[in-house]
Amino acid sequence: IKNMKDRFAENLTEMFKKSAERFSDKTALFFSDKKISYKELYEITGRLGQGLRNLGIKKGDKAAIFLHNVPEFIVSYFAIIDIEAICVPVNNMLKEEELGFILKDSGAKLIISSVAYLDIINSAKMRSPDLKYTVIIDGLAPNTFNFYEIIERSILKKEDILIKPDEVASILYTSGTTGNPKGAMLTHKNFLSNVKSCISSIAVTEKDNFICVLPMFHSFAFTACILLPLAVGASITIIEHVRPFRRVIRNVIKKKITVFIGIPAIFNVLAQMEIPHVFTSRILKLIDPLKLCISGAAALPAEVLK
């Protein structure tokens, strides 16, 4: 906290760069059996950003991410804002009509997604006149670009771009209680302000390992499970899907999770789990590294907390 002013620059890109330089060889992301260091994450992010620039994405352009929880989500997000484009994370559970509305309303020029969502994207394209490029993280398909081919073909030309704190970094679409979703414009300063508040309230360090089981497209998950750990040089264990929940528990134990971030529904599942009495002490020993649980998005019922 004493060095907060030095460690936090004017924008998210510089915050990420400072962590990458300071924690170069440390594992930034755990995903299944993969490990990605801060240095590797920063390099592929820069190369993807250059590749997107080569495609024609420029300052102020909107680029959507339509993905489940995978490392490519984080790489895409920082690559987009690194070239001063604006990221539009979209709920990957939306249908064609809902996705089409957001793509059209935001004026997204590019979307980064997966082969699994191509049918939905192709239908949504009919409502999205500005959408020119579809980038796929896992394979090849007609009229698309492959995520990793873009990275491999790009020569990193890191330019010192001064991104102002009040520049919009992301547009998050609300679920909305009436009418269509509304796009909330969040600046670099907005996000950094949240991260600073988290750091001043929660004792987290580079030694921590956060679990990211909540959907990355959501503002709570993105702030608490991604930006906060990256800001302090901690690790993030990415869980692709919440089910089967057994996998979540295995990762808590295997990856020695220290910060568990969830919503009341997840904590209710944990509260209802039946553990035979003979295993209680063993389980407690296995989860001993866990020091902090954070619940958000809704009120946590007192009986669940107890």
Side-chain angles (χ1 to χ4, degrees):
I1 297 172
K2 289 179 183 176
N3 300 324
M4 194 181 288
K5 192 171 182 181
D6 297 328
R7 287 171 56 187
F8 282 89
E10 300 294 305
N11 56 69
L12 292 172
T13 296
E14 196 165 347
M15 179 204 80
F16 179 34
K17 180 183 178 183
K18 284 181 180 241
S19 289
E21 290 172 347
R22 187 175 178 196
F23 305 103
S24 175
D25 297 324
K26 189 176 183 298
T27 299
L29 308 179
F30 290 100
F31 181 67
S32 189
D33 294 326
K34 297 178 183 175
K35 293 181 183 181
I36 303 173
S37 70
Y38 270 87
K39 182 181 179 180
E40 291 168 328
L41 185 61
Y42 186 69
E43 183 180 334
I44 58 175
T45 294
R47 289 175 68 176
L48 178 63
Q50 184 60 50
L52 298 183
R53 188 182 277 130
N54 294 343
L55 278 180
I57 303 301
K58 58 187 186 300
K59 180 177 180 176
D61 283 343
K62 318 300 190 306
I65 302 177
F66 193 62
L67 284 171
H68 46 286
N69 283 11
V70 283
E72 290 87 351
F73 188 110
I74 298 174
V75 173
S76 299
Y77 193 99
F78 279 96
I80 291 165
I81 64 172
D82 193 36
I83 59 173
E84 292 188 279
I86 297 171
C87 186
V88 184
V90 185
N91 182 343
N92 64 296
M93 291 173 271
L94 296 183
K95 304 302 181 187
E96 295 91 338
E97 188 175 339
E98 299 164 310
L99 173 62
F101 170 79
I102 290 175
L103 294 176
K104 181 181 179 182
D105 189 69
S106 65
K109 196 172 178 180
L110 174 142
I111 186 167
I112 298 175
S113 191
S114 163
V115 168
Y117 304 119
L118 266 183
D119 288 343
I120 296 173
I121 292 169
N122 288 333
S123 296
K125 270 184 180 178
M126 299 168 66
R127 304 177 181 86
S128 319
D130 295 313
L131 192 66
K132 293 184 179 180
Y133 311 104
T134 301
V135 178
I136 301 299
I137 68 168
D138 50 3
L140 292 169
N143 304 313
T144 67
F145 295 88
N146 179 269
F147 184 90
Y148 285 101
E149 279 188 9
I150 291 175
I151 291 172
E152 287 170 12
R153 293 176 181 177
S154 299
I155 299 171
L156 187 59
K157 302 174 185 174
K158 204 68 179 172
E159 300 173 18
D160 288 327
I161 301 171
L162 180 61
I163 301 174
K164 296 177 182 176
D166 290 327
E167 284 188 34
V168 175
S170 187
I171 299 176
L172 301 183
Y173 275 81
T174 66
S175 54
T177 51
T178 58
N180 290 313
K182 313 294 190 296
M185 298 184 290
L186 295 176
T187 66
H188 287 260
K189 189 176 181 179
N190 289 147
F191 283 114
L192 287 175
S193 176
N194 278 351
V195 173
K196 288 175 184 177
S197 294
C198 289
I199 291 173
S200 65
S201 304
I202 307 165
V204 291
T205 71
E206 70 273 13
K207 295 178 182 178
D208 283 306
N209 188 358
F210 287 64
I211 197 164
C212 183
V213 67
L214 300 179
M216 291 178 175
F217 65 78
H218 196 277
S219 58
F220 172 45
F222 191 73
T223 301
C225 303
I226 298 174
L227 293 183
L228 172 58
L230 289 181
V232 299
S235 299
I236 304 167
T237 294
I238 298 170
I239 308 297
E240 194 167 5
H241 301 291
V242 71
R243 293 187 179 90
F245 202 74
R246 221 176 279 108
R247 186 195 301 142
V248 178
I249 301 299
R250 274 202 302 268
N251 273 277
V252 169
I253 295 168
K254 188 178 177 183
K255 301 295 196 308
K256 295 181 171 56
I257 298 300
T258 63
V259 182
F260 190 105
I261 298 174
I263 57 174
I266 288 177
F267 287 109
N268 188 50
V269 171
L270 287 168
Q272 299 302 320
M273 287 182 74
E274 292 186 8
I275 301 171
H277 182 69
V278 292
F279 293 126
T280 303
S281 60
R282 187 182 172 201
I283 291 291
L284 289 173
K285 189 176 289 186
L286 289 171
I287 65 168
D288 186 60
L290 186 64
K291 68 176 189 181
L292 179 66
C293 289
I294 300 172
S295 181
L300 182 68
E303 60 271 22
V304 175
L305 175 60
K306 185 180 178 182

